[in-house]
Amino acid sequence: MSSSRYSSSASGGAHVTITKLESGSKSHSVSDLTSKFERLSSTSDPTSKSDPYKTRNTLPRTNSISKLSYKSEDLPSRTSNTSSRVSKTQVSGGRGSQEITLDFSADRRKGSPVRDRMSRSSSVDRENDSPSAVTRLTNHGTPPSSGANSRRSSIGGSSAEGLVGLRNLGNTCFMNSILQCLSHTKQLADYCMNDSYIFDLKDSNSSMKGALMKAFANLIKQMWKGSSDAVSPSAFKAQIQKFAPRFVGYNQQDSQEFLRFLLEGLHDDINKVQVKPKPSYSDDEEIEKLSDEQKARHAWNKYLLRDNSQITDLFVGQLKSVLQCTHCQHCSVTFDPFWDLSLPIPKKSSVDVRDCLRDFVEEEVLDGDEKPTCSRCKARRKCTKRFFLQRLPKILVLHLKRFSGMRYRQKLSTTVNFPQAKLNLQEFTCPESRGSAPATYDLYAVSNHSGTTFGGHYTAYCKYPTSSDWHCFNDSRVSSISSSSVISSEAYVLFYELRDKSRL
């Protein structure tokens, strides 16, 4: 048996309540309710002879309930004996409001809640599996940006900013994975959220004229302030592919390569250096007389004269390279910036990320075609080379080199263990400056790759900034995971944050 209740305010406003109760039949369909709703709507304002919804803050007539789409399985089964479920939509109208209340019984599939989400258009995104009991429609048919605190999160049923998925636009999981990791890079997210980037854009003379940074910041804001469970990164993709045409289209790409291009593009947009000095080598002889520490500072200051931005402040470190001639024993020391460290994976059964770092800094012999020219011998000589970490970045990105080969790339599926807290890098820093600066890092995000080189998928594991709980971001889906699940053979790019002195 079904019953329907309709009411209309007579005070010039438009207040309509439609209630549908089901106890086992579909005697009143949505179209039945639509016709009755429209008859009441058309007479809700006796002073209006044409369109009762003419004011600016009014829902147009084309937004009537007949334009709201439903899944067929969302309607209750004819034989369902389950209890009713109420879904309400409140929209502004005329000088009053309209409230539509639809009472559906539970889905006939056991254990599956009714997805009674309402949308103006039949092209509503169904990719997001998170049910929503209430959807509020505005003039433009999109949820208003009322802040994430007003949104019930799909994670544990509690409100949580930032736990927002990214829709896959077609093989864009590599992009979504990196965007989630950067979204959980707190200092970068804050830079976007508090609009600090706008000041750095004012004199931007980059090739993108600030468009990439704006698109990135807007996406971060949607992910941390929006009311949706998943957002589309299409506007951002339109800008990144202008900066790096290799991302045009929908081919699968490498997440670490995407990260490098993205950071470079963001840096270009907000680089504080407007006029870059020309390279000068006139003072090379004087520099050779400096100590290694002085050389390092000189090299870093010289780098900042050309590249100085929030991105370099967060992500860029400095490597010390020591090249020694085996013939005359002369040592040549250079200092170069790095944005991430690509680490080889040792071929052994048990691997720790510190083993990968040791392989990276380990002394290697340059001989044969690799022989460099000794600055003292003025000839190509057999040399040894090794690295040290001279300056540690605030955000350390470690890239595990799982893919090898050129034409036929192979993937290493070795599980690399890595600490989630207190990764100490003192042993990899320069001996003369060891212990003079913090070198302890905490993990906060991982970009994962599953599958093979010819068919894989990217996800992200990110630690929530306030609760320190871990979540899996699989395109538009977000789920809670245990900290023990973070370490796996799929870990590809690791994101670490440097601890300050107060936390050591």
Side-chain angles (χ1 to χ4, degrees):
M1 179 175 179
S2 303
S3 65
S4 300
R5 177 169 60 87
Y6 309 91
S7 64
S8 173
S9 68
S11 59
H15 181 77
V16 180
T17 300
I18 303 176
T19 302
K20 177 181 178 182
L21 298 177
E22 288 288 350
S23 60
S25 70
K26 291 185 183 178
S27 58
H28 290 287
S29 64
V30 171
S31 59
D32 294 332
L33 300 179
T34 300
S35 60
K36 294 181 180 181
F37 167 73
E38 290 180 338
R39 287 201 302 273
L40 289 171
S41 299
S42 64
T43 59
S44 61
D45 187 352
T47 63
S48 176
K49 295 183 180 180
S50 55
D51 187 353
Y53 307 110
K54 296 176 72 175
T55 59
R56 183 174 181 273
N57 295 322
T58 302
L59 188 70
R61 284 186 61 79
T62 56
N63 291 349
S64 66
I65 194 173
S66 60
K67 296 296 182 182
L68 303 176
S69 59
Y70 298 85
K71 279 185 176 180
S72 59
E73 70 260 29
D74 286 358
L75 296 176
S77 168
R78 184 177 298 275
T79 59
S80 173
N81 294 321
T82 55
S83 60
S84 305
R85 176 174 178 171
V86 177
S87 177
K88 296 181 179 180
T89 297
Q90 180 77 37
V91 293
S92 300
R95 289 182 290 273
S97 62
Q98 299 172 6
E99 182 183 85
I100 307 169
T101 305
L102 301 179
D103 194 339
F104 294 148
S105 61
D107 195 302
R108 61 181 175 269
R109 293 173 297 176
K110 184 177 180 180
S112 175
V114 176
R115 289 174 174 83
D116 48 10
R117 184 176 305 226
M118 307 174 84
S119 170
R120 285 178 52 200
S121 134
S122 60
S123 62
V124 61
D125 174 40
R126 297 295 183 184
E127 187 179 14
N128 190 349
D129 289 336
S130 302
S132 174
V134 180
T135 301
R136 300 188 184 277
L137 302 181
T138 67
N139 248 13
H140 304 288
T142 57
S145 181
S146 57
N149 286 334
S150 64
R151 175 178 59 85
R152 298 296 292 177
S153 169
S154 59
I155 305 300
S158 61
S159 297
E161 296 175 328
L163 298 181
V164 173
L166 292 171
R167 297 191 182 105
N168 194 314
L169 306 177
N171 284 330
T172 56
C173 57
F174 70 94
M175 179 179 74
N176 292 346
S177 173
I178 291 300
L179 287 173
Q180 292 290 1
C181 293
L182 293 181
S183 170
H184 285 75
T185 304
K186 188 179 184 304
Q187 296 177 71
L188 180 60
D190 288 344
Y191 177 73
C192 296
M193 298 286 286
N194 61 26
D195 290 337
S196 296
Y197 70 95
I198 295 177
F199 177 80
D200 294 332
L201 285 177
K202 63 179 177 35
D203 297 320
S204 178
N205 59 359
S206 69
S207 61
M208 292 297 294
K209 303 301 181 184
L212 180 59
M213 185 67 229
K214 290 177 184 177
F216 177 78
N218 287 337
L219 181 60
I220 295 297
K221 290 177 183 178
Q222 290 182 59
M223 297 168 70
W224 285 91
K225 286 186 177 180
S227 57
S228 300
D229 293 323
V231 297
S232 171
S234 57
F236 166 81
K237 184 179 185 298
Q239 298 303 324
I240 186 63
Q241 65 189 23
K242 288 180 182 178
F243 175 75
R246 67 179 298 157
F247 299 115
V248 171
Y250 300 95
N251 293 326
Q252 182 65 278
Q253 304 277 355
D254 184 277
S255 70
Q256 184 256 351
E257 291 178 357
F258 173 78
L259 173 64
R260 285 190 171 185
F261 277 99
L262 175 55
L263 292 181
E264 180 185 348
L266 297 177
H267 162 69
D268 284 351
D269 269 356
I270 57 176
N271 192 357
K272 299 173 185 177
V273 178
Q274 300 303 307
V275 180
K276 296 185 179 183
K278 295 181 180 180
S280 174
Y281 305 99
S282 59
D283 58 349
D284 284 355
E285 292 184 3
E286 292 299 320
I287 295 175
E288 283 297 319
K289 299 176 183 178
L290 301 177
S291 67
D292 284 356
E293 281 292 314
Q294 292 172 325
K295 289 179 183 178
R297 285 195 297 271
H298 179 271
W300 183 252
N301 291 333
K302 189 175 180 180
Y303 174 73
L304 293 181
L305 289 176
R306 301 178 59 85
D307 298 281
N308 188 2
S309 72
Q310 177 72 1
I311 301 300
T312 57
D313 184 55
L314 290 177
F315 290 92
V316 180
Q318 189 182 43
L319 276 177
K320 177 182 180 180
S321 174
V322 180
L323 191 67
Q324 185 172 21
C325 176
T326 59
H327 181 75
C328 69
Q329 308 304 314
H330 173 69
C331 282
S332 174
V333 180
T334 56
F335 298 90
D336 299 295
F338 69 88
W339 293 58
D340 62 13
L341 297 177
S342 291
L343 307 181
I345 300 177
K347 290 178 175 61
K348 56 183 183 180
S349 57
S350 180
V351 178
D352 188 275
V353 72
R354 283 165 285 228
D355 298 326
C356 302
L357 283 162
R358 291 185 186 103
D359 271 18
F360 176 80
V361 302
E362 186 179 33
E363 182 178 276
E364 62 176 323
V365 177
L366 303 180
D367 198 2
D369 293 339
E370 295 182 331
K371 284 192 297 186
T373 299
C374 174
S375 59
R376 178 179 292 176
C377 296
K378 307 298 181 183
R380 296 183 64 191
R381 299 293 190 187
K382 177 182 177 181
C383 295
T384 60
K385 182 179 181 180
R386 70 168 305 172
F387 290 117
F388 295 95
L389 301 180
Q390 177 69 37
R391 177 185 291 266
L392 294 174
K394 296 176 183 176
I395 303 299
L396 176 68
V397 179
L398 300 179
H399 164 229
L400 302 178
K401 296 173 67 174
R402 294 195 175 278
F403 301 102
S404 61
M406 296 297 291
R407 186 175 177 183
Y408 299 101
R409 299 181 75 190
Q410 296 179 336
K411 180 184 177 182
L412 292 174
S413 297
T414 307
T415 297
V416 178
N417 294 303
F418 45 88
Q420 296 181 31
K422 297 184 178 181
L423 171 62
N424 194 314
L425 300 185
Q426 289 286 0
E427 67 173 287
F428 310 107
T429 60
C430 299
E432 62 270 17
S433 60
R434 194 165 292 169
S436 61
T440 303
Y441 286 85
D442 294 325
L443 184 77
Y444 70 90
V446 180
S447 174
N448 303 294
H449 179 273
S450 59
T452 67
T453 57
F454 304 104
H457 180 60
Y458 287 95
T459 59
Y461 293 158
C462 302
K463 185 169 69 171
Y464 199 70
T466 54
S467 66
S468 296
D469 293 332
W470 285 90
H471 299 91
C472 173
F473 294 83
N474 185 353
D475 287 332
S476 62
R477 296 174 177 84
V478 183
S479 58
S480 177
I481 60 171
S482 64
S483 59
S484 60
S485 302
V486 174
I487 301 175
S488 74
S489 61
E490 298 176 355
Y492 185 48
V493 183
L494 312 178
F495 290 76
Y496 278 91
E497 181 180 23
L498 183 66
R499 284 193 174 196
D500 55 35
K501 292 182 178 179
S502 64
R503 299 176 57 212
L504 294 178

